[in-house]
Amino acid sequence: MLIVVFLLRRLVGGLVLLLVLSMLVFGLLYLSPGSAIETLMGSRPPTPALVHALTLEYHLNEPVVAQYWHWLAGAVHLDFGTSISVQTDTPVSTLIWQHLGVSAELALYSLLIVAVVGVPLGMVSGMWRGTVADRSVSLISTAAVSAPAYVSSVLALYLFGVTLSWFPVYGVGSGVAGRIGHLTLPALTLAVLLGAIVVRQTRAAVIGIVHEDFVTFARLRGLGTGRILVRYTLRNAAVPVVTSAGLLLIIALTAGLFVEQVFSLPGAGTLLLMAVTDKDIPTVQGLAMALGLLVVVVNLLVDIAVLVIDPRSRFSTKVR
Amino acid sequence: MASVAVETGHASALRARRRPPLSVLLSLIVVAGILVLTIVPGVVEPYNPLAQNLLLSSGGPSGLHWLGTDANGRDVLSLVVAGTRAAVVGPAVIAVGTVVLGATLGIAAGLKGGIFDAVVNRLADLLYALPGLLVVIVVVGIVGGGYWLAVGVLLVLSIPGEIRLCRAASAVQARLAYVEAARTLGLGTWRIMWRYLAPNILPTIIATLLLDFVGALLGLAGLAYLGFGTLPGAPSWGQLLFGGESLLQENPWMSVGPSILIILTATSVTLIGDWLYDRSVGTMGAR
């Protein structure tokens, strides 16, 4: 019962966040310089027919509250109207789907690298704390966290793309092999940034656990290091690491935008930049809501994942 | 009483660790250098940063132009030096503003609890869940505002983190006897907040001040890289990095120069913040 109440509260919290976000996002139309109809026309010729069509489509002849209501009703069905200037008259949802693919591939690719390299490094670093290995890992991760995505992307582009010519420097390529080749350097750049955070989180979590009695007893019983690492340490260290997924997502969204921009990848970040620069309000609104939804869903999944991983949390849900 | 205790603790800490470690000394030197570039850039600039010389367009490093020239033949070293002010002043304003507003709300929330605490906490939760930089990009891009709008929006978005930290730190203090004693004496909330509680969570406040500065520096430079929130006619590190990206073949130093300065400044300030925090937390623990 407690769990259901806890999850419901989280769900309601997420919905409230989305509702507030939707108000802010809707307000963008009025934040933009010029009248709403001017903004929605963009650079198209202002014929009476277009003015009439847009007025009807966005209910501009009705009060603002009614406009918001109509907009929200559409947004719930993932209908955010049509793009003004990025790709005129294309439905915003189509546009978002087209660009989300590249971003998702980039994110999964770097997540894979982080999971395969970052988590083990953090565990090694935490298990053998104070050794040369630990200190080098800590130093590198500190440096990687200090370098913002736009700096590390440009430097990676220069070093591995321009100087050494190991990787292509532009676009997404064609075919599966071409795509993997084109996404490798951007994914590595993003993975270094995210991995540095994961390494630090994992290290801190492991340090807290290796001196627990149950680890000592496991060692005393003669269990192998590998088994202790996976069955005892990893599972207990997983909770703080999984909890940081929400934070990681926010960093990945921001860093991903810069990485896409530097490597000229047509992802969601690039779409957002194009839409903002062109003042394509419907596209910005749709994208902002989509990203907000993503954040809420991931945070909810993190809550559920913690309940699954750590049985203790199922009894202490009231505390959080 | 409280202030006496803090002073003795402080003195013993100075005796225990008089010299900061080498990394902190180096960081202090870097920060001092950045301050010079911010306050008197003209002294260091070898050329007028805005003077164009199209005959020297996109040149690599040379004896006359140490970091080469940009597409318009302007001296990159002078541009990088001139860009320091835009890179540092805004973040300083953001950091101070965040700490003043965030600490006030956070300490008040931690001290008073109740509905005020709940409201402030909800507000912090709400803003915390959003990718701040994306919000700034959208707002500044749509409104078409410049540098100071970007500074303002970043300031608002960095307050929740500050509130959370100060709230947590002061909630611990609020249960201690000296706060109780001050209350018994009939002192007002405002006085308890600033004269009694704030000095005791000063390490947290100073550490967050410097961390907020670093976050704002990286954020503002990123915005400038994307072409948002820039001052017309004034170069900045982010803009130079963007300009240098298309000249990576001809003059990589136009990208490398500002990159190094961004990383160096951010790392130095972080190291100083960590050191100050560790030092003062050590004195607190000794009491």
Side-chain angles (χ1 to χ4, degrees):
Chain A
M1 260 325 275
L2 269 180
I3 298 176
V4 177
V5 174
F6 168 72
L7 285 179
L8 273 179
R9 275 184 57 185
R10 287 282 157 144
L11 192 65
V12 171
L15 288 177
V16 170
L17 176 66
L18 282 180
L19 197 67
V20 174
L21 187 65
S22 77
M23 290 174 194
L24 299 176
V25 158
F26 174 77
L28 285 175
L29 182 59
Y30 289 92
L31 216 59
S32 179
S35 68
I37 190 81
E38 281 168 8
T39 308
L40 289 170
M41 269 188 303
S43 54
R44 287 177 282 186
T47 58
L50 182 64
V51 171
H52 185 66
L54 284 175
T55 307
L56 281 186
E57 192 185 340
Y58 290 92
H59 306 273
L60 291 181
N61 48 358
E62 293 174 40
V64 175
V65 179
Q67 288 176 34
Y68 169 68
W69 181 249
H70 287 296
W71 180 83
L72 190 66
V76 170
H77 299 99
L78 299 181
D79 172 17
F80 298 101
T82 54
S83 165
I84 300 168
S85 37
V86 171
Q87 205 170 314
T88 309
D89 289 337
T90 312
V92 168
S93 45
T94 317
L95 213 53
I96 293 176
W97 272 121
Q98 283 170 1
H99 288 79
L100 218 52
V102 174
S103 298
E105 284 166 28
L106 178 67
L108 287 179
Y109 198 165
S110 16
L111 213 60
L112 192 73
I113 301 173
V114 169
V116 172
V117 182
V119 173
L121 271 186
M123 292 196 67
V124 166
S125 196
M127 288 287 282
W128 290 281
R129 187 182 175 190
T131 58
V132 177
D134 172 38
R135 268 180 286 166
S136 357
V137 168
S138 296
L139 188 72
I140 293 170
S141 60
T142 308
V145 165
S146 312
Y150 47 93
V151 166
S152 49
S153 302
V154 172
L155 291 183
L157 185 74
Y158 171 61
L159 194 60
F160 299 108
V162 176
T163 310
L164 297 171
S165 306
W166 287 358
F167 296 101
V169 296
Y170 183 90
V172 285
S174 56
V176 176
R179 184 154 268 215
I180 292 176
H182 277 78
L183 282 183
T184 300
L185 191 55
L188 274 173
T189 314
L190 192 54
V192 167
L193 187 75
L194 299 178
I197 298 164
V198 171
V199 165
R200 286 151 68 103
Q201 295 271 4
T202 314
R203 179 176 178 273
V206 168
I207 285 176
I209 286 158
V210 283
H211 296 296
E212 291 274 344
D213 288 345
F214 64 85
V215 175
T216 314
F217 280 116
R219 224 178 245 144
L220 207 63
R221 294 208 304 276
L223 297 182
T225 311
R227 195 183 159 95
I228 295 178
L229 262 178
V230 177
R231 287 293 298 275
Y232 292 77
T233 319
L234 186 61
R235 184 159 180 189
N236 279 287
V239 173
V241 177
V242 167
T243 314
S244 67
L247 177 73
L248 277 183
L249 175 74
I250 286 178
I251 295 171
L253 286 176
T254 316
L257 176 125
F258 287 110
V259 171
E260 285 176 11
Q261 180 72 3
V262 172
F263 291 97
S264 320
L265 304 175
T270 305
L271 179 65
L272 183 69
L273 283 177
M274 283 197 294
V276 166
T277 310
D278 292 352
K279 304 243 190 312
D280 189 340
I281 302 285
T283 309
V284 176
Q285 289 175 325
L287 209 51
M289 287 313 290
L291 295 180
L293 186 66
L294 185 70
V295 169
V296 167
V297 169
V298 166
N299 279 320
L300 208 59
L301 287 179
V302 166
D303 284 336
I304 296 173
V306 169
L307 290 177
V308 171
I309 296 171
D310 187 358
R312 286 169 302 182
S313 65
R314 286 172 221 163
F315 299 100
S316 58
T317 41
K318 231 167 52 173
V319 183
R320 287 182 65 198
Chain B
M1 275 308 282
S3 65
V4 174
V6 169
E7 269 163 15
T8 52
H10 194 66
S12 71
L14 281 182
R15 239 176 290 122
R17 293 185 223 169
R18 203 166 295 136
R19 266 190 48 186
L22 185 65
S23 59
V24 173
L25 282 177
L26 291 176
S27 303
L28 286 170
I29 295 173
V30 170
V31 170
I34 296 292
L35 276 179
V36 171
L37 299 190
T38 311
I39 298 165
V40 280
V43 176
V44 193
E45 287 162 2
Y47 298 90
N48 175 358
L50 300 178
Q52 305 187 357
N53 183 350
L54 293 175
L55 292 176
L56 291 173
S57 170
S58 316
S62 65
L64 286 176
H65 299 277
W66 289 2
L67 294 184
T69 51
D70 76 347
N72 293 322
R74 298 181 294 183
D75 179 53
V76 170
L77 181 59
S78 305
L79 282 169
V80 171
V81 171
T84 312
R85 194 170 279 179
V88 171
V89 172
V93 171
I94 293 172
V96 172
T98 305
V99 165
V100 169
L101 295 173
T104 309
L105 286 173
I107 296 176
L111 191 63
K112 295 196 83 127
I115 294 181
F116 181 70
D117 183 28
V119 170
V120 167
N121 211 19
R122 284 294 120 212
L123 197 73
D125 273 349
L126 198 71
L127 284 174
Y128 208 68
L130 297 173
L133 208 53
L134 297 193
V135 177
V136 185
I137 290 172
V138 168
V139 173
V140 175
I142 296 291
V143 178
Y147 188 72
W148 292 107
L149 180 69
V151 167
V153 180
L154 272 174
L155 201 163
V156 171
L157 289 172
S158 56
I159 288 177
E162 184 72 32
I163 290 181
R164 282 195 161 186
L165 287 168
C166 289
R167 179 180 166 273
S170 58
V172 173
Q173 300 283 330
R175 282 186 232 111
L176 297 182
Y178 73 90
V179 175
E180 195 75 16
R183 275 218 188 95
T184 318
L185 285 174
L187 298 179
T189 309
W190 192 255
R191 197 181 160 91
I192 297 179
M193 270 172 66
W194 294 114
R195 297 294 294 273
Y196 288 75
L197 228 156
N200 280 294
I201 61 165
L202 203 60
T204 309
I205 294 181
I206 289 176
T208 53
L209 176 80
L210 295 178
L211 277 184
D212 286 334
F213 174 81
V214 172
L217 175 91
L218 299 181
L220 262 189
L223 283 175
Y225 169 80
L226 297 173
F228 299 114
T230 53
L231 285 169
S236 74
W237 293 346
Q239 280 168 290
L240 287 171
L241 189 60
F242 178 72
E245 201 190 320
S246 50
L247 296 179
L248 276 180
Q249 300 269 10
E250 295 86 355
N251 181 13
W253 282 99
M254 190 169 165
S255 307
V256 176
S259 297
I260 290 177
L261 272 181
I262 290 171
I263 296 179
L264 216 55
T265 315
T267 315
S268 303
V269 177
T270 309
L271 283 173
I272 295 174
D274 286 352
W275 174 67
L276 280 178
Y277 184 74
D278 287 346
R279 212 182 68 150
S280 30
V281 163
T283 68
M284 298 273 164
R287 286 199 288 141

